[in-house]
Amino acid sequence: MYVDLHCHSTASDGMLTPAGVVARAHERGVGVLALTDHDTLDGLPEARVEAERRGIELIDGIELSCTWNGATIHVLGYAFAPEAPALQRAIAALHEGRWARSEEIDRRLEAKGMPGCLEGARMVQQERGDSGNAPSRPHFAEFMVRAGFVKDHAQAFQRWLGAGKLGDVKQHWPTLESTLETLRDSGASISLAHPCHYDFTRTKRRKLVAAFVEGGGHALEVSNGPQVDSQVGMLANLAREFGLLATAGSDFHGPRQWSELGSYRGLPADVTLLWPRLARMEHPTS
């Protein structure tokens, strides 16, 4: 695929540096790329330098965490004003909250006989690339494997870090409504990330999309990595029903993980794409 509007670098929980993500995207034939790290813009300057060197069109992006009806939801913002006060305030609060969460994970694991996990997770994180953000659960998992606390990443999540486990520390994310307001105030185009990743019934997912539209959202991520065709079709139908644009992306985090850069199921021909609008916004004279 030529366009990839969802990927991650070491600025959040990815395996490659921002420059490395752009270089790999170029090698795989991606011509339009949005770097959408979780709750941070830190990777964008490095990515832009590499994109200019490689001749890739880079769209500023971010994936913000929020809550709706008690569930954690992710929202993608594109082509915003990076210095917008509302966005900077939101990122600062999320940054602080992520560090508090990592410290709590560390305390809980130490109480179960696994000391030094935050320091170790931070070491893993810094090996992959410099970051001022808190280490995430995959960083903790990697250290736990190295320290011999678990046999592999799967066991780390199944026993300690996965949903409902000891290390699944709930973050006090902002609401969906306030997150959409933040992105609107920053001039962003907004897409609801991977709607089929949430453990919702069809009815609840439709209510989420309705709330997203009511809050000023613009698009649905209709295709996300190796998502099955039936889900792509269902999300395309929702996009049509609610008059939303469509986005797609690999959700790349690293080689041999969820999906490769530029790789995702094709979109139905009759959905209206968001990315040409982003290109016009970023390059209004073209």
Side-chain angles (χ1 to χ4, degrees), residues 101 105 108-109 137 159-162 164-170:
R101 184 178 72 160
I105 292 173
R108 293 184 183 189
L109 294 177
R137 284 181 294 171
R159 186 172 293 178
W160 301 109
L161 300 173
K165 303 301 181 181
L166 183 80
D168 181 25
V169 177
K170 298 303 182 185

Coordinates of all heavy atoms in Angstrom, one line a residue, residues 101 105 108-109 137 159-162 164-170:
R101 N 1.8 5.6 36.2 CA 1.4 4.2 36.0 C 2.6 3.2 36.0 O 2.5 2.2 36.6 CB 0.7 4.1 34.6 CG 0.1 2.7 34.4 CD -0.6 2.5 33.1 NE 0.3 2.6 31.9 CZ -0.1 2.1 30.7 NH1 -1.3 1.6 30.5 NH2 0.7 2.2 29.7
I105 N 3.2 0.0 38.4 CA 3.5 -1.3 37.9 C 4.7 -1.9 38.6 O 4.8 -3.0 39.1 CB 3.7 -1.3 36.4 CG1 2.4 -1.0 35.7 CG2 4.2 -2.7 35.9 CD1 2.5 -0.8 34.2
R108 N 4.0 -2.9 42.2 CA 3.3 -4.2 42.3 C 4.1 -5.4 42.0 O 4.0 -6.4 42.6 CB 2.1 -4.1 41.3 CG 1.0 -3.0 41.7 CD -0.2 -3.1 40.8 NE -1.2 -2.1 41.1 CZ -2.4 -2.0 40.5 NH1 -2.7 -2.9 39.7 NH2 -3.2 -1.1 40.9
L109 N 5.0 -5.3 41.0 CA 5.8 -6.4 40.6 C 6.9 -6.7 41.7 O 7.2 -7.8 42.0 CB 6.5 -6.1 39.3 CG 5.5 -6.1 38.1 CD1 6.3 -5.7 36.8 CD2 4.8 -7.4 37.9
R137 N 4.2 -1.4 29.0 CA 4.2 -2.8 29.4 C 5.1 -3.7 28.5 O 5.7 -4.6 29.1 CB 2.8 -3.3 29.4 CG 2.0 -2.8 30.7 CD 0.6 -3.3 30.7 NE -0.2 -2.8 29.6 CZ -1.5 -3.2 29.3 NH1 -2.0 -4.2 30.0 NH2 -2.1 -2.7 28.4
R159 N 0.5 -13.8 32.8 CA 0.5 -14.0 34.2 C 0.5 -12.6 35.0 O 0.0 -12.5 36.1 CB 1.8 -14.7 34.6 CG 1.9 -15.1 36.0 CD 3.1 -16.0 36.3 NE 2.9 -17.3 35.7 CZ 3.8 -18.3 35.7 NH1 4.9 -18.1 36.3 NH2 3.5 -19.5 35.2
W160 N 1.1 -11.6 34.4 CA 1.4 -10.4 35.2 C 0.9 -9.1 34.5 O 0.4 -8.2 35.2 CB 2.9 -10.2 35.4 CG 3.5 -11.3 36.2 CD1 4.3 -12.3 35.7 CD2 3.2 -11.7 37.6 NE1 4.6 -13.2 36.7 CE2 4.0 -12.8 37.9 CE3 2.5 -11.1 38.6 CZ2 4.0 -13.4 39.1 CZ3 2.5 -11.7 39.8 CH2 3.2 -12.9 40.1
L161 N 1.0 -8.9 33.2 CA 0.8 -7.6 32.6 C -0.5 -7.4 31.8 O -0.9 -6.3 31.4 CB 2.0 -7.2 31.7 CG 3.3 -7.2 32.4 CD1 4.5 -7.0 31.4 CD2 3.4 -6.1 33.4
G162 N -1.1 -8.5 31.4 CA -2.3 -8.5 30.5 C -3.5 -7.9 31.2 O -3.5 -7.6 32.4
G164 N -6.6 -7.2 33.2 CA -7.1 -7.8 34.5 C -6.0 -8.4 35.4 O -6.4 -8.8 36.5
K165 N -4.8 -8.4 35.0 CA -3.7 -8.9 35.8 C -3.1 -7.8 36.7 O -3.4 -6.6 36.6 CB -2.6 -9.5 34.9 CG -3.1 -10.6 33.9 CD -3.8 -11.7 34.7 CE -4.2 -12.8 33.7 NZ -4.9 -13.9 34.4
L166 N -2.2 -8.2 37.5 CA -1.6 -7.3 38.5 C -1.0 -6.1 37.9 O -1.2 -5.0 38.5 CB -0.5 -8.1 39.3 CG 0.1 -7.3 40.5 CD1 -0.8 -7.4 41.7 CD2 1.5 -8.0 40.8
G167 N -0.3 -6.3 36.8 CA 0.4 -5.1 36.2 C -0.5 -4.3 35.2 O 0.0 -3.4 34.6
D168 N -1.7 -4.6 35.2 CA -2.7 -3.9 34.3 C -3.2 -2.7 35.1 O -4.3 -2.7 35.6 CB -3.8 -4.8 33.8 CG -4.8 -4.1 32.9 OD1 -4.4 -3.1 32.3 OD2 -6.0 -4.5 32.8
V169 N -2.3 -1.7 35.3 CA -2.7 -0.5 36.1 C -3.5 0.4 35.2 O -3.1 0.8 34.2 CB -1.4 0.2 36.6 CG1 -1.8 1.4 37.4 CG2 -0.6 -0.8 37.5
K170 N -4.7 0.7 35.7 CA -5.6 1.5 35.0 C -5.2 3.0 35.1 O -5.0 3.5 36.1 CB -7.1 1.4 35.5 CG -7.6 0.0 35.3 CD -7.6 -0.5 33.9 CE -8.2 -1.9 33.8 NZ -8.1 -2.4 32.4

